[in-house]
Amino acid sequence: MRALVKESSGPGIVLREVPVPRCGPSEVLIRVHHAGVCGTDLHIWEWDTWASNRLKLPVIVGHEFAGEITQVGQEAEAAGLLAVGDLVTAEGHVVCGHCLQCRLGDAHLCLRTQIIGVDRAGAFADYIVMPASNVMKLDGIPTEIGAIMDPMGNAVHTVLEAEVPGSTVLVLGCGPIGCFAVGVARAAGASLVIASDYNPKRLELARAMGAHVVLNPGSDDVVARVRELTHGDGVDLVCEMSGHPSGHAQAFAVARIGGRVNLLGTPNRTTEVDFARDIIFKGLTLYGVTGRKMYRTWHQMQRFLRAGQLDPRPVITHRFHLECIGEAIQVIKDGQAGKVILEVGA
Amino acid sequence: MRALVKESSGPGIVLREVPVPRCGPSEVLIRVHHAGVCGTDLHIWEWDTWASNRLKLPVIVGHEFAGEITQVGQEAEAAGLLAVGDLVTAEGHVVCGHCLQCRLGDAHLCLRTQIIGVDRAGAFADYIVMPASNVMKLDGIPTEIGAIMDPMGNAVHTVLEAEVPGSTVLVLGCGPIGCFAVGVARAAGASLVIASDYNPKRLELARAMGAHVVLNPGSDDVVARVRELTHGDGVDLVCEMSGHPSGHAQAFAVARIGGRVNLLGTPNRTTEVDFARDIIFKGLTLYGVTGRKMYRTWHQMQRFLRAGQLDPRPVITHRFHLECIGEAIQVIKDGQAGKVILEVGA
Amino acid sequence: MRALVKESSGPGIVLREVPVPRCGPSEVLIRVHHAGVCGTDLHIWEWDTWASNRLKLPVIVGHEFAGEITQVGQEAEAAGLLAVGDLVTAEGHVVCGHCLQCRLGDAHLCLRTQIIGVDRAGAFADYIVMPASNVMKLDGIPTEIGAIMDPMGNAVHTVLEAEVPGSTVLVLGCGPIGCFAVGVARAAGASLVIASDYNPKRLELARAMGAHVVLNPGSDDVVARVRELTHGDGVDLVCEMSGHPSGHAQAFAVARIGGRVNLLGTPNRTTEVDFARDIIFKGLTLYGVTGRKMYRTWHQMQRFLRAGQLDPRPVITHRFHLECIGEAIQVIKDGQAGKVILEVGA
Amino acid sequence: MRALVKESSGPGIVLREVPVPRCGPSEVLIRVHHAGVCGTDLHIWEWDTWASNRLKLPVIVGHEFAGEITQVGQEAEAAGLLAVGDLVTAEGHVVCGHCLQCRLGDAHLCLRTQIIGVDRAGAFADYIVMPASNVMKLDGIPTEIGAIMDPMGNAVHTVLEAEVPGSTVLVLGCGPIGCFAVGVARAAGASLVIASDYNPKRLELARAMGAHVVLNPGSDDVVARVRELTHGDGVDLVCEMSGHPSGHAQAFAVARIGGRVNLLGTPNRTTEVDFARDIIFKGLTLYGVTGRKMYRTWHQMQRFLRAGQLDPRPVITHRFHLECIGEAIQVIKDGQAGKVILEVGA
């Protein structure tokens, strides 16, 4: 089968013919239809410090996908819940089930997480093998949307880890996950959703996803504008998706007293925090977001998608074939892309 | 009546004769029996930047107290819930009831909080007037203990803003509130309570309050020891009560993946935070603690005290008469005191 | 001033001239603009067992209202938060602030609740006096809507005491509060809202408030239809607003395993419950709804109303002048009314 | 191997030689050391309606056990988390992982639950096969205690599904699970634990587990006594473990306004409930308890046991060898037993 493989140190990912993976007893084999390209894949392409520390080469890249089941392992078959022909997506974190976090229902924080496309064979390929427990039937959700439920799930996790109905929300950073967060906040009944980014193209996408107000820190005084829009209170919830220390500073400044800052954007350096002024006297709650709650997040997302409350399609700006991974990576680097999809098979 | 008054800029607090305050319709007048001396009073005595920015002089100092009701305002009397002779303590934050935070049940974060002994007449005096709504009957709790329910309440708030039964808890910083936190964590069913401080005297108090293990960062590798004691997991809850950036660093290092850091100690400078490594990838929750939940915290504390589950008396190390406020301040500055009590009347 | 007074045992309420009430130090005097007529007023008119056991006559009736502040008591004025000319509504439960429930933040369950129009002078009058703490500024919400925020708040409380975004909701009983609940569930991001009632007129109102599906137990098999609409799972949340034992039976039958039944409708007889089959083996949660959370419910409702997420006006079907109270009561008895408003002043 | 088998309709369970079960790829084979006899086993022995409707014969009985791993399946071995020689216990509910409830983190309510000893081969045998995911290492907890973590887990689930620290708790019904609940409530920091049962022997066990007060409805007015002990408020939490309609009536009568009733005891007939008076006007929450939260409950229980906060041994009153199952069943029927243990192997 075809697969995009990170073979060696240094930039790039290459298309290779590799064997179709073997399907174990509690696994299923999936024919990939669509896959999503993520910032993580960019790190792997560029072979930055994180990538070179984490990956053991060679590895098939890609962790966002949807497709069709073509084989079901013996144990999975006995369970009778998945069948050849089912259109599915999957949680890409393969977890141990036995560590403290797994036992407490926080499997998204499993000590022994293996991420597909990073720690084990990924989805930029004609086929991928997944544990049956990680697989979710699409039941009518198109595979193109199924392929981006991983990053959309990051947004669902970030937003719903707060009491959203009637709340005021600021999304800082409007990459694809930020744009999804805007849509999720609207779907979940937020009263006011403000989005902020330096990139006008991304602000357009945020508006298309339902932002009531978009702000550009290049021309807007974000803190002043948010205060004004909230009658001086600040917002109930900040979704920090920029990963910049300036985003953190804004987040703490505009979260209301007693409010909440959920942090997803991962900065590559430290931030100076005035804990007394910004966290303690304000009674703030901060929450670090990793992955998707397994599998509460997926369920909530499926509900929103099936009811038509959330439509992520405005965020999809580009589609490429598997062999055009270089172009896909380039449009992401150019900063003009929303979500980029690989059309793998059908 | 006698009152300890901050009259003018510069160090010191003076004993003065002042008129007994007038009791308004919805207020009660209380004869103070015991009062607690707090770090805040030290700031006021020393007239640091915070104090000189916040206080309007002259003001009667002191915000921790208990005593006996000697007069009940007309409206409060009509309500029939408080009577002359009742032994009481009181929440020292007088709140507006109308701001967003008050309306959401977070009156401890009221925008317009007036703190007795800071923003309005305080409790280091023979009498104090309080809104009836702020007053709690002691119903058998001695006034000496009633007088320190304000700082004990900070500890109750900090600890109980987590799921404590069966949990592992690290208390960083063993001043009086840290020591109370140790006792509260034990009362609430924590499985392991570790306390850390540089001051051996404070570690003794922490042990007296029930700490299973005490650590001194001067001689112990706190991070390594906590990991060892928790089989490598780290603790479920860190109560950060030191207010030092080094405390923050330790807190983030030893909180378990998916754990919680509740911050009460107020640092006087900023902390460098590696949000990616310490907050986001660990899925941590941080919570800034201000005051006491009005009045859930008081209720929980009364339950613990009345059932004998929590006994704060080991923390009380010194008692002074009102006129010896200078000595009281000095023992606190010397760092050898636990909780210091003023014996005002009876 | 004019007032609708329950003067004596037996049916009826009479219009009388009575003195304008005196405004105490912590109270405000309000000129009533609009008032809502409630099922409770019907009980009082009819003088049923509940009414004759509860009321001490004479009493001015009416507990749902909005109007304009015309006088502010001395203490309330000192607080500076309410002023003559403010358009306001108010929580009609006047609570003690000192009982266990009040101290725990559950003032809606205060042991000593005094309800206006039931236990103290009500709002079907030109003026009413209210504690300043119970009063909320409308800030742009029309007084006609302000006048029905009390029953709408019952619906907000019922619905939001669950995790609504993405959920499936069944509202059993489509009187005004049931219809409001439909609107609240939609505003809060429910994925599917089903409403059920025998009365076709009420089902029309439920549909106008946003119900995706309406069912009539007279012609529909409610349990079968709900199961079908939820792919066999049942709903996440049942809002029981019928108060009929048959409603309870349906609620327990169609709540999904692990789901929730929030009960507001008050039956006048007992229900047979199969706890093993319906509650325990299903892992259900039941919650009894009284009043509105003070004041979280009001805040959430104001957010929904101001953002335009909730518009209760379709439910208002009739308007009468104060002197036509008899006609207002009659249309409610006829079962053809949604919400009935009294136009009192302006 | 030896196994206690329910072979045919009618009373009794017989000891048989059967083949050691085969260990699948994701399973482990466990040599049973100790097993607990449960009321469920009594139903199976007696072959009541429930048993005859549910079981497909023949089946090996028994669902509470602990023992030693003697074989690890290929996939489970690859995971590297369980090894031959590990002393373990196991959750006896084998769940699908794919239904709505499983996906929401409520696997204890899985639609497709298979219970060992009921729906699949059980633990009253020399060996049992379990999915590796269901298995928990004892890490120092003796197998005798490990064998009763299933029913103790029911108690942990019931009690901890409430805010326990500082609370007042009534346990209605002091069978083994009720007695465990007493111990769990104490471990979790309850301020007052009251236990009620008609059986003086059981009240002795409840007292040995830490009940502050024991009541016998045969001689005590339970409702009056609980009110008195709680200063008229009623208790915060009732754990209903009697399964009798009279227990339900008491539960609703003595739960405080705004309190909680967690129901575990399964009645064999319906209860008349006055929803208006007992649930709605009191603002009660009811919660039906099934099984143990997978696996949060197990973790909390392990913490309590390892820290010595909970010691269930006073409840163990009888020990029998496998072949004496008839005697074990008899002591349970006689109502003089606490927990009955089978000593199977070592």
Side-chain angles (χ1 to χ4, degrees):
Chain A
M1 68 172 192
R2 300 172 307 158
L4 289 171
V5 181
K6 183 76 187 183
E7 278 188 342
S8 54
S9 309
I13 295 172
V14 291
L15 189 66
R16 288 284 179 260
E17 278 293 317
V18 301
V20 171
R22 202 188 66 85
C23 177
S26 62
E27 297 177 326
V28 298
L29 182 67
I30 301 164
R31 173 83 174 93
V32 178
H33 287 194
H34 289 93
V37 186
C38 171
T40 300
D41 303 316
L42 179 56
H43 292 302
I44 295 173
W45 175 284
E46 306 234 305
W47 203 240
D48 65 9
T49 313
W50 170 83
S52 62
N53 286 335
R54 174 87 177 239
L55 275 74
K56 295 205 177 82
L57 305 185
V59 70
I60 300 174
V61 180
H63 56 278
E64 309 173 356
F65 77 99
E68 184 181 349
I69 293 180
T70 59
Q71 192 185 338
V72 179
Q74 185 180 350
E75 277 197 3
E77 194 173 20
L81 301 168
L82 295 171
V84 169
D86 287 344
L87 293 176
V88 299
T89 183
E91 167 60 53
H93 288 201
V94 179
V95 299
C96 79
H98 286 263
C99 71
L100 176 58
Q101 283 66 240
C102 281
R103 287 307 196 190
L104 287 174
D106 289 337
H108 62 291
L109 297 172
C110 171
L111 263 186
R112 304 184 185 90
T113 305
Q114 296 280 312
I115 304 180
I116 58 170
V118 173
D119 306 308
R120 49 183 280 166
F124 292 169
D126 285 320
Y127 292 92
I128 184 170
V129 148
M130 291 298 298
S133 58
N134 280 51
V135 169
M136 256 94 32
K137 291 198 213 181
L138 289 174
D139 285 336
I141 298 170
T143 53
E144 189 181 70
I145 290 178
I148 56 174
M149 286 176 70
D150 169 303
M152 211 185 326
N154 289 127
V156 172
H157 182 180
T158 306
V159 173
L160 293 194
E161 199 69 16
E163 218 177 302
V164 181
S167 69
T168 52
V169 179
L170 171 65
V171 176
L172 280 172
C174 297
I177 299 180
C179 289
F180 294 144
V182 166
V184 173
R186 288 302 305 270
S191 291
L192 174 66
V193 181
I194 308 168
S196 169
D197 202 296
Y198 281 95
N199 181 329
K201 172 70 187 157
R202 289 179 158 189
L203 290 180
E204 259 176 55
L205 298 179
R207 197 179 278 287
M209 290 303 291
H212 294 97
V213 178
V214 299
L215 300 175
N216 188 324
S219 49
D220 295 307
D221 179 338
V222 171
V223 172
R225 287 285 289 134
V226 171
R227 290 237 174 92
E228 190 186 319
L229 289 159
T230 55
H231 312 287
D233 287 325
V235 290
D236 298 317
L237 171 65
V238 179
C239 298
E240 209 308 300
M241 277 141 164
S242 74
H244 289 132
S246 68
H248 295 152
Q250 283 179 2
F252 301 143
V254 304
R256 75 162 170 83
I257 296 174
R260 204 175 164 93
V261 177
N262 290 352
L263 300 125
L264 178 88
T266 52
N268 55 15
R269 52 190 173 91
T270 58
T271 302
E272 295 257 332
V273 178
D274 184 333
F275 274 97
R277 183 193 64 189
D278 286 346
I279 312 294
I280 297 169
F281 295 147
K282 288 185 75 168
L284 283 198
T285 299
L286 273 59
Y287 174 71
V289 181
T290 289
R292 295 142 300 279
K293 289 208 164 178
M294 292 166 68
Y295 291 89
R296 173 173 286 272
T297 299
W298 291 86
H299 168 72
Q300 293 165 320
M301 181 164 38
Q302 287 169 321
R303 283 278 181 83
F304 283 148
L305 290 169
R306 285 178 190 143
Q309 294 169 279
L310 176 64
D311 181 352
R313 282 171 299 191
V315 184
I316 304 176
T317 55
H318 296 78
R319 288 170 181 80
F320 295 96
H321 290 287
L322 204 54
E323 54 271 28
C324 304
I325 183 67
E327 290 170 60
I329 292 289
Q330 191 58 45
V331 297
I332 292 175
K333 284 170 73 170
D334 290 348
Q336 294 307 306
K339 193 69 210 172
V340 175
I341 298 279
L342 295 181
E343 297 178 333
V344 183
Chain B
M1 69 173 192
R2 299 174 304 157
L4 288 170
V5 181
K6 183 76 185 184
E7 279 188 340
S8 53
S9 312
I13 294 173
V14 291
L15 188 66
R16 288 285 179 257
E17 279 294 316
V18 301
V20 171
R22 203 187 67 83
C23 177
S26 63
E27 296 177 326
V28 298
L29 182 68
I30 301 165
R31 173 83 174 93
V32 178
H33 287 194
H34 289 92
V37 185
C38 170
T40 301
D41 303 317
L42 179 57
H43 292 303
I44 294 174
W45 174 285
E46 305 234 305
W47 202 240
D48 66 7
T49 313
W50 170 83
S52 62
N53 285 335
R54 174 87 178 239
L55 275 73
K56 293 203 178 85
L57 305 185
V59 69
I60 300 173
V61 179
H63 55 277
E64 309 173 355
F65 78 99
E68 183 181 350
I69 294 181
T70 59
Q71 193 185 338
V72 179
Q74 188 180 349
E75 277 196 3
E77 194 173 20
L81 300 168
L82 295 172
V84 169
D86 287 347
L87 292 176
V88 298
T89 182
E91 165 61 51
H93 287 202
V94 179
V95 300
C96 81
H98 287 262
C99 71
L100 175 57
Q101 282 67 242
C102 281
R103 288 307 197 191
L104 286 174
D106 289 336
H108 62 291
L109 296 171
C110 171
L111 262 186
R112 302 184 187 92
T113 304
Q114 297 279 312
I115 304 180
I116 59 169
V118 174
D119 306 308
R120 49 182 280 166
F124 292 170
D126 285 320
Y127 292 93
I128 184 170
V129 148
M130 292 297 299
S133 59
N134 281 52
V135 169
M136 255 95 33
K137 290 199 215 182
L138 289 174
D139 285 336
I141 299 169
T143 53
E144 190 181 68
I145 291 178
I148 56 174
M149 287 175 69
D150 169 304
M152 212 185 324
N154 289 126
V156 172
H157 182 179
T158 305
V159 174
L160 293 193
E161 200 69 15
E163 218 177 301
V164 182
S167 68
T168 51
V169 179
L170 170 66
V171 176
L172 280 172
C174 297
I177 300 180
C179 289
F180 294 144
V182 166
V184 173
R186 289 300 305 268
S191 291
L192 174 66
V193 180
I194 308 167
S196 170
D197 202 296
Y198 280 96
N199 182 328
K201 170 72 187 158
R202 290 179 158 187
L203 290 180
E204 258 176 57
L205 297 179
R207 196 178 279 286
M209 291 302 292
H212 294 96
V213 179
V214 298
L215 300 175
N216 188 325
S219 49
D220 297 306
D221 180 338
V222 172
V223 172
R225 287 284 287 133
V226 171
R227 289 237 173 92
E228 190 187 319
L229 290 160
T230 56
H231 311 286
D233 287 323
V235 289
D236 299 316
L237 171 65
V238 179
C239 299
E240 209 306 300
M241 277 143 163
S242 74
H244 289 130
S246 67
H248 296 152
Q250 283 179 1
F252 301 143
V254 302
R256 74 163 170 83
I257 296 174
R260 201 174 168 93
V261 177
N262 289 353
L263 300 125
L264 178 89
T266 52
N268 54 16
R269 53 193 174 90
T270 59
T271 301
E272 296 258 332
V273 178
D274 185 333
F275 274 97
R277 183 194 63 187
D278 286 345
I279 313 293
I280 296 170
F281 295 146
K282 287 186 75 168
L284 283 200
T285 299
L286 273 58
Y287 173 71
V289 181
T290 289
R292 294 143 300 278
K293 290 210 164 178
M294 293 165 67
Y295 290 89
R296 173 174 286 273
T297 299
W298 290 86
H299 168 72
Q300 293 165 319
M301 180 166 36
Q302 287 169 322
R303 282 277 182 82
F304 284 148
L305 289 170
R306 284 178 192 143
Q309 295 170 280
L310 175 65
D311 182 351
R313 281 172 298 191
V315 184
I316 303 177
T317 54
H318 296 76
R319 288 170 182 81
F320 295 97
H321 289 287
L322 204 55
E323 56 271 27
C324 304
I325 182 67
E327 290 170 59
I329 293 289
Q330 191 57 45
V331 297
I332 294 175
K333 284 168 73 169
D334 290 349
Q336 294 308 306
K339 193 69 209 171
V340 175
I341 298 278
L342 295 182
E343 297 179 333
V344 183
Chain C
M1 69 172 193
R2 301 173 304 159
L4 288 171
V5 180
K6 183 74 184 183
E7 278 188 341
S8 53
S9 310
I13 295 172
V14 290
L15 189 66
R16 289 285 180 258
E17 279 294 315
V18 302
V20 171
R22 204 187 66 84
C23 177
S26 62
E27 297 178 327
V28 298
L29 182 68
I30 301 164
R31 174 83 175 93
V32 178
H33 287 196
H34 290 92
V37 186
C38 171
T40 301
D41 303 317
L42 180 56
H43 292 302
I44 294 173
W45 176 284
E46 305 233 306
W47 204 239
D48 66 6
T49 312
W50 170 82
S52 62
N53 285 335
R54 173 87 178 239
L55 275 72
K56 294 203 178 84
L57 305 186
V59 70
I60 300 173
V61 180
H63 55 276
E64 309 173 354
F65 77 98
E68 183 181 350
I69 294 180
T70 59
Q71 192 185 337
V72 179
Q74 187 179 348
E75 275 197 3
E77 193 173 21
L81 301 168
L82 295 172
V84 170
D86 286 347
L87 294 176
V88 298
T89 183
E91 165 61 51
H93 287 202
V94 179
V95 300
C96 81
H98 286 263
C99 71
L100 176 57
Q101 283 68 240
C102 281
R103 288 307 196 192
L104 287 173
D106 289 338
H108 62 290
L109 297 171
C110 171
L111 263 187
R112 302 184 187 91
T113 305
Q114 297 280 310
I115 305 180
I116 59 170
V118 174
D119 306 308
R120 48 182 280 167
F124 292 170
D126 285 321
Y127 291 92
I128 185 171
V129 148
M130 292 298 298
S133 58
N134 280 51
V135 170
M136 256 94 32
K137 292 198 214 183
L138 289 174
D139 285 338
I141 298 169
T143 53
E144 190 180 68
I145 291 178
I148 56 174
M149 286 174 72
D150 169 304
M152 212 186 323
N154 289 126
V156 172
H157 182 180
T158 306
V159 174
L160 293 193
E161 201 68 16
E163 218 177 300
V164 181
S167 69
T168 52
V169 179
L170 170 66
V171 176
L172 280 173
C174 297
I177 299 180
C179 289
F180 294 143
V182 167
V184 172
R186 290 299 306 270
S191 290
L192 173 67
V193 181
I194 308 169
S196 170
D197 202 297
Y198 281 95
N199 182 328
K201 171 70 187 158
R202 290 179 159 188
L203 290 179
E204 257 176 57
L205 298 179
R207 198 179 278 286
M209 290 303 292
H212 294 96
V213 179
V214 298
L215 300 175
N216 189 322
S219 49
D220 296 307
D221 180 338
V222 172
V223 171
R225 287 284 288 134
V226 171
R227 290 238 174 92
E228 189 187 320
L229 289 159
T230 56
H231 312 287
D233 288 323
V235 290
D236 298 317
L237 171 65
V238 179
C239 299
E240 208 307 299
M241 277 142 164
S242 74
H244 289 131
S246 68
H248 296 152
Q250 284 180 1
F252 302 143
V254 302
R256 73 162 171 84
I257 296 174
R260 202 176 167 93
V261 178
N262 290 352
L263 300 125
L264 179 89
T266 52
N268 53 17
R269 51 191 175 91
T270 59
T271 301
E272 295 258 332
V273 179
D274 185 333
F275 274 98
R277 183 193 63 188
D278 286 346
I279 313 293
I280 297 170
F281 294 146
K282 287 186 75 167
L284 282 199
T285 299
L286 273 59
Y287 173 70
V289 181
T290 289
R292 295 143 298 279
K293 291 209 163 177
M294 293 166 67
Y295 292 90
R296 172 174 288 272
T297 300
W298 291 87
H299 168 72
Q300 293 164 320
M301 180 165 37
Q302 287 169 321
R303 282 279 180 82
F304 283 148
L305 289 169
R306 286 180 190 141
Q309 294 170 279
L310 175 65
D311 182 351
R313 282 172 299 191
V315 184
I316 303 176
T317 54
H318 295 78
R319 288 171 183 79
F320 295 97
H321 290 287
L322 204 54
E323 55 271 27
C324 305
I325 183 68
E327 291 171 58
I329 293 289
Q330 192 55 49
V331 298
I332 293 175
K333 283 168 73 170
D334 290 348
Q336 294 307 306
K339 193 70 209 172
V340 175
I341 297 280
L342 294 182
E343 297 180 332
V344 183
Chain D
M1 67 174 192
R2 300 173 304 157
L4 289 171
V5 181
K6 182 77 187 182
E7 278 188 341
S8 53
S9 310
I13 295 174
V14 292
L15 189 66
R16 288 284 180 259
E17 278 293 317
V18 300
V20 171
R22 205 187 64 85
C23 177
S26 61
E27 296 177 327
V28 298
L29 182 68
I30 300 165
R31 173 83 175 92
V32 178
H33 288 195
H34 290 92
V37 186
C38 170
T40 301
D41 302 317
L42 180 57
H43 293 302
I44 294 173
W45 176 284
E46 305 233 305
W47 203 240
D48 67 6
T49 314
W50 170 82
S52 63
N53 285 334
R54 173 86 177 240
L55 275 72
K56 294 204 178 83
L57 304 184
V59 69
I60 301 173
V61 180
H63 56 278
E64 310 173 355
F65 77 99
E68 183 180 351
I69 294 180
T70 59
Q71 192 185 339
V72 179
Q74 186 179 351
E75 276 197 3
E77 192 173 23
L81 300 169
L82 296 171
V84 169
D86 287 345
L87 294 175
V88 298
T89 183
E91 166 60 52
H93 287 203
V94 179
V95 299
C96 80
H98 286 263
C99 72
L100 176 57
Q101 283 66 241
C102 281
R103 287 308 197 190
L104 287 174
D106 290 336
H108 62 291
L109 297 172
C110 171
L111 264 186
R112 304 184 186 90
T113 305
Q114 297 281 312
I115 304 180
I116 59 171
V118 174
D119 307 308
R120 50 182 280 166
F124 292 169
D126 286 322
Y127 292 92
I128 184 170
V129 148
M130 291 298 299
S133 59
N134 280 51
V135 170
M136 256 94 32
K137 291 199 214 181
L138 288 174
D139 285 337
I141 298 169
T143 53
E144 189 181 68
I145 291 179
I148 56 173
M149 286 175 72
D150 170 304
M152 211 185 328
N154 289 127
V156 172
H157 182 180
T158 306
V159 173
L160 293 193
E161 200 68 16
E163 218 177 300
V164 182
S167 69
T168 52
V169 179
L170 171 66
V171 176
L172 281 172
C174 298
I177 300 180
C179 289
F180 294 144
V182 166
V184 173
R186 288 301 305 270
S191 291
L192 174 67
V193 181
I194 307 168
S196 169
D197 202 296
Y198 280 96
N199 182 329
K201 172 72 186 157
R202 290 179 159 187
L203 290 180
E204 256 176 58
L205 298 178
R207 196 179 279 285
M209 290 304 290
H212 295 95
V213 180
V214 298
L215 300 175
N216 189 323
S219 50
D220 296 306
D221 179 338
V222 172
V223 172
R225 287 285 288 135
V226 171
R227 290 237 174 93
E228 190 186 318
L229 290 159
T230 55
H231 313 287
D233 287 324
V235 290
D236 298 318
L237 171 65
V238 179
C239 298
E240 209 307 297
M241 277 144 164
S242 74
H244 291 130
S246 68
H248 295 152
Q250 283 180 1
F252 302 143
V254 303
R256 74 162 171 82
I257 297 175
R260 204 175 166 92
V261 177
N262 290 352
L263 300 125
L264 178 88
T266 52
N268 55 16
R269 51 189 174 94
T270 59
T271 302
E272 295 259 331
V273 179
D274 185 333
F275 275 98
R277 183 193 64 187
D278 286 346
I279 312 294
I280 297 170
F281 295 147
K282 287 185 75 168
L284 282 199
T285 299
L286 273 59
Y287 173 71
V289 181
T290 289
R292 297 142 298 279
K293 291 209 163 178
M294 292 166 66
Y295 291 92
R296 172 174 288 272
T297 299
W298 290 87
H299 168 72
Q300 294 165 319
M301 181 165 36
Q302 287 169 320
R303 282 279 181 82
F304 283 149
L305 290 168
R306 286 179 190 141
Q309 294 170 279
L310 176 66
D311 181 352
R313 283 172 297 189
V315 184
I316 304 176
T317 54
H318 296 77
R319 287 170 182 78
F320 296 96
H321 290 286
L322 204 52
E323 54 271 28
C324 305
I325 182 68
E327 291 170 60
I329 293 289
Q330 191 55 48
V331 298
I332 294 175
K333 283 168 74 170
D334 291 347
Q336 294 308 306
K339 193 70 210 171
V340 175
I341 298 279
L342 294 182
E343 297 180 333
V344 183

